[in-house]
């Protein structure tokens, strides 16, 4: 199997190098052919690995590929841990990436950077696979930073646009904040265990539960809690949790296929995957779980509210991603790791579908993204309309759709959780259900229903895009509908993850939930009609219909009456102002202060120039005794000799 794992990882890398470095020889068709082939090989082999793990009974494998360095007993190596958790992620990453590659043929057809784009997205797939298949923290960190680097290149792909350059720089810098905490967390674990290997670290997790870290003369903190919170800070950056969420909406400046690849199924879910992979550590720190739970709940509710005031179709979907990432983090904080990972999986398909559907609309309207210039597109884009509707229903958790199975299980798990802050989190995720339905169908009705608000220029290009765009929509719509029926039982309430996810019996809320309500997917759907989440979702859809189709004049009156709240949402709680103006200005102010008093006054003024002035002053004083008179020198010598003899005699 080692050769198969290498083929899964290396196929996208080889394809990226061929498309990027051999562009002139391959041409445009060659570039997309070789990258689609490379990612296709990875996808097929990943499905085979998942089949062997889930159905074939293959054991988890911890494979060492290459040992780079051994220092003080610490092994630094390239290796793969392939279990059901990583196998599931491999299938999600490669399948969505394959759909995005095919879709890109149509979306980027006229772009001069066509071959470069295919090289980047294939390279991104390689980096993400290295991350999810890693068996040690060093390789995890390599994949973590590699996806950050390639996302920087992809967000700023249209580098002639100042907004794109600003967006990729913002994403890069905000993620550096999270990565600083992440690398400190890795260092803390290495300090406590003396190893970077997952197996060795997880084996020592119970004994680390009582370890303490001396952080001051009289201050001791639980060592495992410190390490887990530091790791979570890294996850906050990658998975865009408040307050490190500000980069993700601006990253919509990149081409739409990137929005689907990075911001639906891969990079932004890396933080969620990290918490699940580190579940043996987090389970022994209730404080760390509580932090994850509360930050996720705040993200789920407050970033969802921002979707209500957006008019850029891609930004609406982006804020939806932020909110759903919050839901996944809430599940992790409630020790419902399986529910969080299942929602990650279903979300990958329906959110990639929504991003690509948004891209289809943008193509049809000749790159128009403002929903105020859309409307009535249902009859022009029938395939996009119906697939987008399926994605929207899955997103709001409508019964029988994939999103329903994962979201309903997640919410009920939080309701059963005893983690501190679970009550607040439950209220936030329930309120988030209503908000999600409201902004989702606000977008749907503004784009596909109501009066046509299409410009004459856009109307001239209005048609359903070709099969390279619509085929991925259909293929992503299928799992968005049926995946929950096929997999909810074993993945949510069965033993699918096995030892991949470790939950203490006292915190295993998913098992408790399963024993109470799971009697098959049909019964679970019926149970959904007895939960408040369904009726909150229906209320959100109904309100969106009434405000945006039935009585738009009421919407304007409500917006005027709630102007302070609307302005607060439009300003995004001033988080962007803080990130773009206050923090940089404060940093420059601190730097200027340190330069003025540290560099100029202490280093240059006191140490360098001060020592030079001291030497000059001493030289000027010593020069006074150099008179040039011989008798003066003779007197000084005789006086010195006499003093020396007197000292010797006395001694």
């Amino acid at each position: 199997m080692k050769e198969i794992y290498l083929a899964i990882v290396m196929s996208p890398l080889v394809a990226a190098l061929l498309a990027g470095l051999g562009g002139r020889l391959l041409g445009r068709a060659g570039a997309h052919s070789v990258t689609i082939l490379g990612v296709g090989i990875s996808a097929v082999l990943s499905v085979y690995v998942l089949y062997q793990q889930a159905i074939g009974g293959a054991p988890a494998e911890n494979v060492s590929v290459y040992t780079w360095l051994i220092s003080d007993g610490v092994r630094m190596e390239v290796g793969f841990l392939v279990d059901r958790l990583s196998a599931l992620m491999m299938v999600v990453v490669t399948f969505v990436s394959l759909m995005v590659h095919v879709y890109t043929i149509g979306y980027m057809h006229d772009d001069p950077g066509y071959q470069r784009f295919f090289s980047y997205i294939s390279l991104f797939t390689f980096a993400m696979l290295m991350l999810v298949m890693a068996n040690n923290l060093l390789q995890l960190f390599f994949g973590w930073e590699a996806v950050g680097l390639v996302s920087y290149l992809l967000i700023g792909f249209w580098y002639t646009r100042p907004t794109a350059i600003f967006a990729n720089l913002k994403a890069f810098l905000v993620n550096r904040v999270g990565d600083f905490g992440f690398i400190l967390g890795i260092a803390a674990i290495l300090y406590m265990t003396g190893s970077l290997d997952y197996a060795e670290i997880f084996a020592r997790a119970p004994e680390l539960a009582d370890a303490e870290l001396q952080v001051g003369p009289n201050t001791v903190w639980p060592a495992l809690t410190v390490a887990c919170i530091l790791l979570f800070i890294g996850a906050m950056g990658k998975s865009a949790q408040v307050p490190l969420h500000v980069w993700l909406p601006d990253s919509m400046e990149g081409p739409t296929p990137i929005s689907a690849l990075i911001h639906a199924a891969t990079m932004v879910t890396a933080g969620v995957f990290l918490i699940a992979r580190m579940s043996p550590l987090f389970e022994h720190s209730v404080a760390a779980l509580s932090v994850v739970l509360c930050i996720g709940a705040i993200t789920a509710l407050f970033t969802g509210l921002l979707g209500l005031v957006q008019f850029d179709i891609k930004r609406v979907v982006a804020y939806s991603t932020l909110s759903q990432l919050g839901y996944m983090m809430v599940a992790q904080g409630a020790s419902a790791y399986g529910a969080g990972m299942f929602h990650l999986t279903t979300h990958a398909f329906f959110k990639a579908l929504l991003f690509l559907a948004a891209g289809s609309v943008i193509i049809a309207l000749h790159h128009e993204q403002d929903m105020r210039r859309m409307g009535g597109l249902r009859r022009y884009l029938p395939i996009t309309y119906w697939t987008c509707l399926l994605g929207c229903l899955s997103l709001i958790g409508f019964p029988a759709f994939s999103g329903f199975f994962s979201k309903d299980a997640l919410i009920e798990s939080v309701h059963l959780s005893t983690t501190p802050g679970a009550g607040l989190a439950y209220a936030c995720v329930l309120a988030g259900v209503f908000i999600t339905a409201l902004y989702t169908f606000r977008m749907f009705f503004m784009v596909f229903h109501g009066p046509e608000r299409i410009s004459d220029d856009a109307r001239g290009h209005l048609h359903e895009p070709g099969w390279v765009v619509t085929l991925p929509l259909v293929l992503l719509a299928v799992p968005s509908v049926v995946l929950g029926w096929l997999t909810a039982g074993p993945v949510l309430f069965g033993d699918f993850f096995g030892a991949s996810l470790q939950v203490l019996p006292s915190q295993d809320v998913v098992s408790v939930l399963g024993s109470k309500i799971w009697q098959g997917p049909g019964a679970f759907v019926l149970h959904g009609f007895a939960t408040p989440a369904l009726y909150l979702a229906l209320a959100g859809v109904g309100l969106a219909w009434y405000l945006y189709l039935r009585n738009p004049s009421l919407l304007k009156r409500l917006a005027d009456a709630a102007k302070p709240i609307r302005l607060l949402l439009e300003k995004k709680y001033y988080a962007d102002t803080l990130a773009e103006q206050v923090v940089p200005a404060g940093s420059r102010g601190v730097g200027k202060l340190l330069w003025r008093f540290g560099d100029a006054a202490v280093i240059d003024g006191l140490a360098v120039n001060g020592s030079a002035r001291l030497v000059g002053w001493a030289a000027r004083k010593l020069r006074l005794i150099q008179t040039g008179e011989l008798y003066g020198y003779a007197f000084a010598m005789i006086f010195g000799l006499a003093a020396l003899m007197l000292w010797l005699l006395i001694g």
Side-chain angles (χ1 to χ4, degrees), residues 358-424:
S360 178
V361 171
I362 293 168
I363 295 172
L365 295 179
H366 197 55
H367 297 281
E368 176 61 69
Q369 297 184 200
D370 193 330
M371 296 189 300
R372 291 169 293 189
R373 300 190 183 97
M374 299 180 187
L377 294 180
R378 174 184 177 180
R379 64 192 184 97
Y380 298 104
L381 310 173
I383 298 176
T384 303
Y385 172 82
W386 287 108
T387 54
C388 184
L389 176 60
L390 295 177
C392 289
L393 291 171
S394 193
L395 171 58
I396 69 170
F398 194 78
F401 286 79
S402 296
F404 162 78
F405 288 94
S406 58
K407 183 179 281 190
D408 199 63
L410 187 159
I411 293 171
E412 292 302 307
S413 296
V414 174
H415 194 201
L416 295 172
S417 176
T418 57
T419 303
L424 170 67

Side-chain angles (χ1 to χ4, degrees), residues 18-27 115:
L18 289 174
L21 301 179
R24 291 185 178 180
L25 295 175
L26 292 175
Q115 292 156 266

Side-chain angles (χ1 to χ4, degrees), residues 267-284:
M267 176 178 162
V268 293
T269 60
V272 180
F273 168 78
L274 171 68
I275 306 300
R277 176 57 82 195
M278 296 294 150
S279 60
L281 302 182
F282 277 85
E283 277 300 283
H284 294 283

Side-chain angles (χ1 to χ4, degrees), residues 591-605:
K592 189 174 182 179
L593 187 68
L594 291 174
W595 165 75
R596 181 172 294 170
F597 293 101
D599 192 57
V602 177
I603 297 175
D604 287 344

Side-chain angles (χ1 to χ4, degrees), residues 284-540:
H284 294 283
S285 175
V286 175
L289 288 174
S290 184
V291 170
V292 175
L293 182 76
C294 293
I295 294 293
I298 292 169
T299 303
L301 178 59
F302 287 94
T303 58
L305 287 168
L306 296 178
L308 296 173
V309 296
Q310 302 300 313
F311 291 101
D312 184 315
I313 186 173
K314 286 175 61 177
R315 285 182 181 262
V316 174
V317 185
Y319 279 108
S320 169
T321 300
L322 280 171
S323 182
Q324 297 307 305
L325 289 168
Y327 274 87
M328 297 174 207
M329 283 298 184
V330 167
Q332 311 293 58
S335 293
Y337 304 104
M341 290 304 300
F342 189 54
H343 193 54
L344 182 155
T345 304
T346 60
H347 174 267
F349 294 107
F350 65 70
K351 188 52 64 66
L353 169 60
L354 289 175
F355 268 119
L356 297 187
S360 178
V361 171
I362 293 168
I363 295 172
L365 295 179
H366 197 55
H367 297 281
E368 176 61 69
Q369 297 184 200
D370 193 330
M371 296 189 300
R372 291 169 293 189
R373 300 190 183 97
M374 299 180 187
L377 294 180
R378 174 184 177 180
R379 64 192 184 97
Y380 298 104
L381 310 173
I383 298 176
T384 303
Y385 172 82
W386 287 108
T387 54
C388 184
L389 176 60
L390 295 177
C392 289
L393 291 171
S394 193
L395 171 58
I396 69 170
F398 194 78
F401 286 79
S402 296
F404 162 78
F405 288 94
S406 58
K407 183 179 281 190
D408 199 63
L410 187 159
I411 293 171
E412 292 302 307
S413 296
V414 174
H415 194 201
L416 295 172
S417 176
T418 57
T419 303
L424 170 67
Y426 182 64
C428 287
V429 294
L430 271 184
V433 171
F434 173 77
I435 299 300
T436 300
L438 181 55
Y439 68 66
T440 300
F441 276 85
R442 167 185 178 264
M443 174 192 74
F444 185 77
F445 292 142
M446 287 185 70
V447 173
F448 293 106
H449 289 272
E452 295 182 9
R453 302 176 297 274
I454 307 166
S455 67
D456 292 336
D457 180 58
R459 191 182 299 277
H461 301 84
L462 187 54
H463 62 87
E464 187 85 81
W467 70 267
V468 290
V469 172
T470 55
L471 178 62
L473 295 180
V474 174
L475 293 177
L476 287 167
V478 172
S480 298
V481 176
V482 305
L483 189 64
W485 289 91
L486 300 176
T487 61
V491 175
L492 271 176
F493 303 112
D495 191 35
F496 173 82
F497 289 108
S500 302
L501 302 176
Q502 298 184 24
V503 186
L504 297 178
S506 60
Q507 298 171 191
D508 194 357
V509 292
V510 175
S511 293
V512 174
L513 179 66
S515 65
K516 285 185 175 182
I517 66 171
W518 181 256
Q519 295 178 347
F524 192 76
V525 170
L526 292 177
H527 171 265
F529 287 89
T531 62
L534 170 62
Y535 300 100
L536 287 169
L538 292 176

